[in-house]
Amino acid sequence: IPIQAEVIEEEPEIAPQPQELTYFVDLALKNNQPTKVAQEEVELAQLKITEAQRGLYPALKIQTYRTAGEISNIGTEEREIKTELTQPVFYGGRLIDTTNQAKVNLEITQKNYDRLKLDVVQKTETAYYNLVAANMHLKQKEGLYQEGKELLIKIEKLANAGMLIPLEVNSARTWLKQIEFQIDSIRQDLFMAELTFKQVLNAKETPKIEARLLEAKKLNLDLGSCVEAALKNRPEIYLIELLVRFNNYARNIETSKNKDLTVDLTTSYGF
């Protein structure tokens, strides 16, 4: 009897993020104005759900008035307190659609906040790693330049002793000059990386980064699983479906207002 072994797919190993990167992401989210506005929209959408649900329950109204006057030189005063309770009975599904529309609106605002948050996180991580990589590259080139200077001194000593021709000395000096030019170019890249990182964080000064060396790790990922995860988790895709549902509810509400009758049960008590 053939035996089939069950193949268990291992989860791809994801390299842990530096602890300071989490701090920078939180700082960027805190200073980002669009995400603040989106968060306020989520809170407002939650209030709209409460308001829409309130329409399904009885409404209590209390009225009171007082009149005073004089009849035949006799002072008179009249007071009345009236309580009115109204319960919606039939609105053609309008109240239910209004509540469902408010819930969909909450999902839209949440997904919009997730979209903005994802964009800030992605930009922060990219700017952070670009800055760290520029620092690493500069350190490596500076170390190589220091080794080149020491090597050039040895070459010049050998040339003075007649053991090397001047062409080899000039070649070594040219190579060292090339490294100097590369260091200047890397410093410009580092300046731009610091500027971009500061803009992403919306900070006045570039924060100090402790990480100086990052180890590259090979991830066990394939294109198919990455595309599937993107389609599943990207907020923009689900937002389109939510907007369609929101508009459908809005159309049903307007249709109900124009065609359907409304029935309310009202009772009052006064004394």
Side-chain angles (χ1 to χ4, degrees), residues 144-145 147-149 151-152 155 169-182:
L144 183 61
Y145 179 76
E147 293 178 2
K149 286 178 62 177
L151 182 60
L152 180 60
I155 291 176
V169 178
N170 293 333
S171 178
R173 290 173 179 169
T174 302
W175 175 74
L176 194 61
K177 286 292 183 181
Q178 290 177 351
I179 296 179
E180 288 182 0
F181 176 78
Q182 292 173 358

Side-chain angles (χ1 to χ4, degrees), residues 101 104-105 108 239-255:
Q101 185 188 42
V104 172
N105 182 59
I108 291 174
L239 265 174
I240 299 175
E241 179 184 349
L242 291 175
L243 288 173
V244 173
R245 290 168 55 188
F246 181 88
N247 292 331
N248 288 337
Y249 282 125
R251 181 182 58 188
N252 294 338
I253 293 171
E254 291 300 322
T255 302

Side-chain angles (χ1 to χ4, degrees), residues 3 7 11 43 62 79 98 107 120 125 138 172 176 181 198 202 212 221 241-242 249 263-264:
I3 300 177
V7 179
E11 293 292 334
E43 297 174 358
I62 299 177
R79 297 180 181 181
T98 302
E107 288 189 68
V120 172
E125 292 180 351
L138 180 60
L176 194 61
F181 176 78
K198 183 171 66 174
N202 196 17
R212 295 299 175 183
L221 298 175
E241 179 184 349
L242 291 175
Y249 282 125
V263 179
D264 293 325

Side-chain angles (χ1 to χ4, degrees), residues 23-24 27 131 197-198 201 203 205-209:
Y23 165 76
F24 291 137
L27 179 61
L131 183 55
F197 189 55
K198 183 171 66 174
L201 297 181
E205 297 181 358
T206 304
K208 183 179 179 181
I209 293 181

